[in-house]
Amino acid sequence: MTRFYKQSGFTLARANPSTRILLTLFLITVLAGCVVALLQYSGKSGGFSSQDAQRWVQGNEQDFESEELYPEKSPREILAIVHDHIFAMALLLFVVLHLVELTPWSEGPKITLSLLGYGSLALSLLSPWWLHWQWSLAPLTLRAGGTGLLLVLATGSLA
């Protein structure tokens, strides 16, 4: 990528065909990963609502009417989830946002997208802990973080 930054006026649209194909396939895969992540999240938690996320973290062992049992996640399980996501999502954001740097966008939108992406990642990684501790705003932060991440990755990939 450093080579591209040295070329005056370089944009991805001016890249050679092999670079454009490689990056297009990568970004299509990122978009497909967003769709799969949504499906996986929905499958694990039983839906997309805040109540579904709370039930998935806090469990529903006291609800004898429930059709499916969700045991409470231990701090160790939450740590494992956060650990897996912090490295993968940070690297994915870095690569996608690095490619956004090669677009003709002005600095303002690029900086905003970076701040929104990593801010959303922070909210997403803190939210399971906040759900575990039953903080009242946790469902809102979980929704904001996940939505922000999806929007940044989709916007960056389409850019």
Side-chain angles (χ1 to χ4, degrees):
M1 296 307 280
T2 306
R3 171 175 67 111
F4 298 137
Y5 281 118
K6 290 181 180 178
Q7 296 176 4
S8 178
F10 178 82
T11 65
L12 293 176
R14 294 186 188 136
N16 60 22
S18 62
T19 301
R20 286 196 315 250
I21 289 171
L22 172 67
L23 295 178
T24 299
L25 292 173
F26 170 74
L27 294 170
I28 288 170
T29 305
V30 169
L31 290 171
C34 289
V35 171
V36 169
L38 281 171
L39 294 172
Q40 181 185 21
Y41 173 78
S42 174
K44 278 185 180 178
S45 67
F48 290 107
S49 74
S50 300
Q51 293 81 13
D52 295 329
Q54 278 182 295
R55 180 187 62 222
W56 187 74
V57 171
Q58 296 171 355
N60 66 350
E61 295 166 328
Q62 307 303 324
D63 183 5
F64 298 113
E65 305 287 321
S66 181
E67 294 179 16
E68 191 170 351
L69 178 66
Y70 290 90
E72 180 180 1
K73 299 290 179 270
S74 70
R76 183 175 288 191
E77 289 172 303
I78 294 172
L79 186 62
I81 293 164
V82 169
H83 175 266
D84 291 343
H85 284 84
I86 196 166
F87 292 110
M89 293 306 298
L91 185 60
L92 182 59
L93 278 170
F94 178 77
V95 171
V96 170
L97 294 172
H98 197 80
L99 294 174
V100 169
E101 285 295 315
L102 297 176
T103 67
W105 288 8
S106 65
E107 288 295 303
K110 290 177 183 179
I111 291 170
T112 301
L113 204 60
S114 293
L115 293 173
L116 182 61
Y118 282 95
S120 297
L121 177 60
L123 283 178
S124 294
L125 296 174
L126 290 170
S127 293
W129 293 105
W130 291 336
L131 283 170
H132 181 73
W133 295 322
Q134 300 183 13
W135 183 47
S136 62
L137 294 179
L140 177 65
T141 62
L142 180 65
R143 189 177 302 133
T147 301
L149 272 174
L150 284 171
L151 287 175
V152 167
L153 289 171
T155 302
S157 296
L158 293 172

